[in-house]
Amino acid sequence: MVVENLARVEEKICAACERAGRKREEVTLIAVSKTKPVSMIEELLPGGTRDFGENKVQELCGKYEQLPKDIRWHLIGHLQRNKVKYVVDKVCLIHSVDSLRLAETISAEGLKKGIAVPVLIEVNIAGEESKFGVKPEEAEGLIREIAKLPSIAVKGLMTIAPYVENAEDNRVHFANLKKLCVDIKNKNIDNVSMNILSMGMTGDYEVAIEEGATMIRVGTGIFGKRDYTI
Ligand SMILES: *Cc1c(COP(=O)(O)O)cnc(C)c1O
């Protein structure tokens, strides 16, 4: 089932890239495997999928131990500072940095392990009360502070767009995040590259691609609905 689902998602990604005049290689699909068993991830490995997303540290670490080491793990969920030490050397990218204190902890743990940890800044682009992420107008200031830390590297921006019935309603938010990313990139801040734009989920990834996403995070569309009751 997951292989067929992935093929359907892949077709839609290609169509969206075509509409936007973009190359397929410009967009990385992250298969969001949170709450799903290792066996479902394994079904996707023969086809070449290697980017997987998890939102909980414990779950990511558990799957990391059980699966091949060439998998690129993306931490996409809110990260508590006391859990940073478990993940800095297991993930290829942390998508959810939204405070200097968290960045300082990540840098300190990165320093201990001798690595510069790649991160994205999570932006609350639609200004929703319930969401993590910095306000758009605070992003540049935060990035300038993080850029001074020794063992963390800002690579771009991430957002979780509002839950909407009609994906078109999120187009403006994706366009705004893209614009913010370009604005900050143009400041040429040392130690900062703004080449990654992580936006778009099952309900709206096609619109996100049309608006410039370089990473999309798709869970339900590949693995089916999540059951949080078990
Ligand atoms: C769960 C999750 C996703 C995937 O959501 P779907 O709607 O199932 O595609 C993407 N991004 C983040 C941050 C998530 O927590």
Side-chain angles (χ1 to χ4, degrees), residues 32 34 55 76-77 158 160 200-203 217-221 226 228:
V32 177
K34 65 190 189 197
N55 68 338
I76 60 175
M158 175 271 217
I160 302 175
M201 304 170 32
T202 295
R217 312 177 306 265
V218 179
T220 312
R226 288 177 290 273
Y228 289 103

